Amino acid sequence: MVNKLSWVGSKKHFVDEISVVKVGEKIFLGRFGGNSTAGQYKNEDGCLIWCNEKNWEFVILLDAHFTAESAELVISTVEKNEQRFLAIFTLPVKDLFTSLSDLVLDIFQSESFILDCKNVQGETACLFAFRKDNYLWWFSIGDCLLLLNHPELERLGEYQQNHRSFFEWVGKESTFNKDVPCYSKGVKELRTGKNHIFMTTDGLVECPNTSYSEAKNIYRVFQNVDTFAVGVRKLLEDIQSKNVRDSTTVVSWVIQNDKVATIPSDLK
């Protein structure tokens, strides 16, 4: 069974309102549309979440501007190609991630999608993430963030997996309208034990009078809470109290990896 959720801020904007919901058994989705007292009146974020409880999680996080039409287009296009994605998700991991990247590129570079992009107002940053077995894959266009927390990585100061890349979008002015599309992608082996995966749009890290631009401060919020739902809500309540204008959407979940992760040969 696959649990599914899709949402775009044009459907419900969550201005002055915090929402934290659970998708399936693992994933928490937090949404805050910004403060009307700071001038906010709309929300152009979006997300799509699919998860198979036994095997994998697939998340797309979007942060559009001008209008939410580009975010709506990406979500509807992925949903139209659902069976192509689900077929790839069944592959063994040694073949899966290359095929998944190829599918995203095939869709975004198709003539029909490029034509659809020309007919929308605005553009969207777009971050794909997929976890299966002990691996996390991502495909990133723009400046949404993918973080990974584990004690072994934390000791070395590693949290952020993708890099924020500015002037990259999908939509009217799309990187995929160019001769060479611009994006980044990667695969990370999860460490042995609990791995906390966290995705966010930039409203969280750019909120005034906070220090969430440093990923360790995001994870500190989760260290003394009873549930991850509480942690997500605390983050959103904090930026609400700081009168943030920009909308913020976060997705958070934990994977227990029982496989032995790669370590240096001299430490074995």
Side-chain angles (χ1 to χ4, degrees):
M1 175 181 173
V2 178
N3 294 293
K4 301 176 186 176
L5 181 148
S6 65
W7 160 82
V8 180
S10 54
K11 297 179 181 178
K12 181 171 175 56
H13 55 60
F14 295 102
V15 173
D16 297 326
E17 178 184 352
I18 291 172
S19 169
V20 179
V21 298
K22 193 174 185 181
V23 184
E25 294 300 317
K26 297 188 187 80
I27 298 179
F28 292 95
L29 166 65
R31 292 167 287 187
F32 176 59
N35 288 288
S36 61
T37 53
Q40 186 60 281
Y41 62 95
K42 62 180 179 177
N43 187 338
E44 296 158 337
D45 287 357
C47 71
L48 178 145
I49 300 172
W50 296 344
C51 53
N52 179 314
E53 298 303 341
K54 294 183 179 180
N55 297 312
W56 51 261
E57 303 85 38
F58 177 59
V59 179
I60 306 175
L61 195 61
L62 302 126
D63 186 354
H65 60 261
F66 194 13
T67 77
E69 290 179 7
S70 53
E72 294 168 358
L73 175 60
V74 171
I75 289 177
S76 65
T77 302
V78 170
E79 290 177 331
K80 288 176 185 175
N81 287 275
E82 177 179 345
Q83 294 307 312
R84 297 175 72 188
F85 280 97
L86 293 179
I88 287 175
F89 296 166
T90 66
L91 296 174
V93 290
K94 67 177 181 179
D95 303 314
L96 192 159
F97 301 117
T98 297
S99 298
L100 188 50
S101 297
D102 289 345
L103 175 56
V104 174
L105 287 170
D106 182 62
I107 291 171
F108 280 177
Q109 291 181 298
S110 67
E111 290 184 9
S112 60
F113 184 76
I114 290 173
L115 180 60
D116 288 340
C117 283
K118 292 179 180 178
N119 293 320
V120 301
Q121 289 187 313
E123 299 81 32
T124 185
C126 185
L127 174 60
F128 290 72
F130 179 80
R131 194 284 313 178
K132 186 173 183 180
D133 295 346
N134 55 323
Y135 294 97
L136 175 64
W137 166 94
W138 64 90
F139 189 104
S140 180
I141 305 160
D143 60 350
C144 295
L145 293 89
L146 173 64
L147 310 178
L148 179 64
N149 188 43
H150 183 281
E152 293 178 352
L153 300 177
E154 188 170 18
R155 283 195 293 269
L156 297 170
E158 179 184 344
Y159 301 94
Q160 190 166 325
Q161 299 304 302
N162 69 326
H163 70 276
R164 297 181 69 194
S165 190
F166 302 104
F167 303 104
E168 286 181 6
W169 301 285
V170 176
K172 186 80 170 181
E173 295 298 329
S174 175
T175 177
F176 290 88
N177 295 343
K178 308 296 183 178
D179 291 337
V180 179
C182 297
Y183 58 89
S184 62
K185 61 179 180 176
V187 180
K188 181 73 172 182
E189 180 189 23
L190 300 182
R191 305 307 299 166
T192 305
K194 290 184 179 181
N195 294 260
H196 182 184
I197 302 166
F198 186 90
M199 302 169 67
T200 184
T201 56
D202 63 6
L204 178 67
V205 298
E206 294 184 354
C207 177
N209 303 311
T210 69
S211 56
Y212 296 130
S213 57
E214 293 187 41
K216 64 182 180 181
N217 295 319
I218 294 175
Y219 284 113
R220 282 175 179 165
V221 174
F222 290 91
Q223 289 175 351
N224 298 307
V225 296
D226 295 329
T227 68
F228 279 87
V230 173
V232 169
R233 182 170 291 276
K234 279 195 166 189
L235 284 170
L236 298 180
E237 286 176 345
D238 189 29
I239 63 173
Q240 182 183 33
S241 71
K242 301 297 196 302
N243 203 34
V244 69
R245 175 173 180 171
D246 196 9
S247 56
T248 293
T249 304
V250 303
V251 183
S252 174
W253 73 105
V254 172
I255 295 298
Q256 173 68 38
N257 173 36
D258 295 325
K259 296 184 178 181
V260 177
T262 303
I263 58 173
S265 55
D266 59 349
L267 295 181
K268 289 184 177 181

